[in-house]
Amino acid sequence: MKELSLNILDIAQNSVKAKAENILIKIVEAQDTMTLTITDDGCGMTEETVKNVMNPFFTTRTTRNVGMGVPLLKLAAEQTGGGIEIQSVSENDDPVHHGTTVTARFNKNHLDFTPLGDIVSTVTALIQGAPNINWQFIHQKDSGSVELDTAEMRSILGDVPLDSYEVIKWIEDYLKEGYESIS
């Protein structure tokens, strides 16, 4: 993929399909490194599935024979000298505390570092596409952070749907302003 925000979109969509109610997307940039973590409370994966998920020819989908999201993220991280780690607890193994965490580490100064890309559009699209999920987005840099929590938004907005045009436009503008303040 040409930008990491597309990897984030793909992995987060997997969390939505896993019936997650809460999804955290966290990006931490410190000096020469960037760590991307996506955590959900979805149905989780078995140990066997976690072992196979790095294989591009493994997928749980019935509509195609390949699953490229995690392998492409792994490649993007490893080609910078970084790596990826997946921790998951299946709903069958623990009906209460289940879910998945994908963590990818990148060396930002490496020639092959893939740029983050349009993270504002990615986060906005995820919220618009799954407005009932509690989305938490955090991007920390040395210069400050950009944060958004849809659970907090719901407590302020009440019955106003998060996928309404006005709310989506506000989210987009809020994130853009946040990034302008830490550039």
Side-chain angles (χ1 to χ4, degrees):
M1 294 190 191
K2 295 183 184 215
E3 53 186 53
L4 291 175
S5 62
L6 296 175
N7 292 97
I8 293 169
L9 181 67
D10 185 65
I11 302 298
Q13 285 178 329
N14 290 342
S15 296
V16 171
K17 290 175 187 165
K19 298 182 172 74
E21 294 178 10
N22 300 285
I23 301 173
L24 166 65
I25 300 169
K26 186 173 184 178
I27 303 166
V28 178
E29 293 187 60
Q31 297 176 349
D32 299 339
T33 63
M34 183 175 90
T35 303
L36 163 65
T37 305
I38 302 172
T39 303
D40 70 53
D41 62 354
C43 64
M45 296 181 279
T46 64
E47 286 182 39
E48 186 68 25
T49 301
V50 170
K51 289 177 188 172
N52 288 317
V53 78
M54 302 286 189
N55 178 350
F57 300 104
F58 174 81
T59 184
T60 57
R61 296 179 181 158
T62 57
T63 56
R64 63 180 189 212
N65 295 340
V66 296
M68 297 300 289
V70 173
L72 287 174
L73 182 61
K74 179 180 185 250
L75 175 65
E78 288 179 348
Q79 68 187 9
T80 70
I84 189 170
E85 179 182 320
I86 300 175
Q87 297 174 325
S88 191
V89 176
S90 169
E91 191 173 34
N92 293 335
D93 293 334
D94 189 336
V96 178
H97 301 100
H98 50 82
T100 301
T101 298
V102 176
T103 304
R105 291 176 186 78
F106 304 86
N107 294 311
K108 295 189 315 182
N109 292 334
H110 195 282
L111 177 65
D112 292 323
F113 177 69
T114 305
L116 182 58
D118 190 359
I119 192 66
V120 170
S121 292
T122 295
V123 172
T124 303
L126 286 167
I127 295 169
Q128 186 173 21
N132 296 324
I133 290 175
N134 291 320
W135 293 96
Q136 187 176 13
F137 174 74
I138 302 168
H139 188 166
Q140 297 173 334
K141 293 183 168 189
D142 293 334
S143 58
S145 67
V146 177
E147 300 184 22
L148 180 78
D149 187 334
T150 60
E152 288 179 10
M153 291 177 63
R154 277 191 198 85
S155 70
I156 295 167
L157 294 173
D159 293 336
V160 177
L162 293 184
D163 59 350
S164 68
Y165 173 78
E166 294 82 6
V167 174
I168 291 298
K169 182 66 177 146
W170 182 89
I171 290 169
E172 179 183 40
D173 291 344
Y174 175 81
L175 292 172
K176 285 180 181 177
E177 287 175 19
Y179 277 103
E180 288 172 8
S181 72
I182 65 169
S183 306

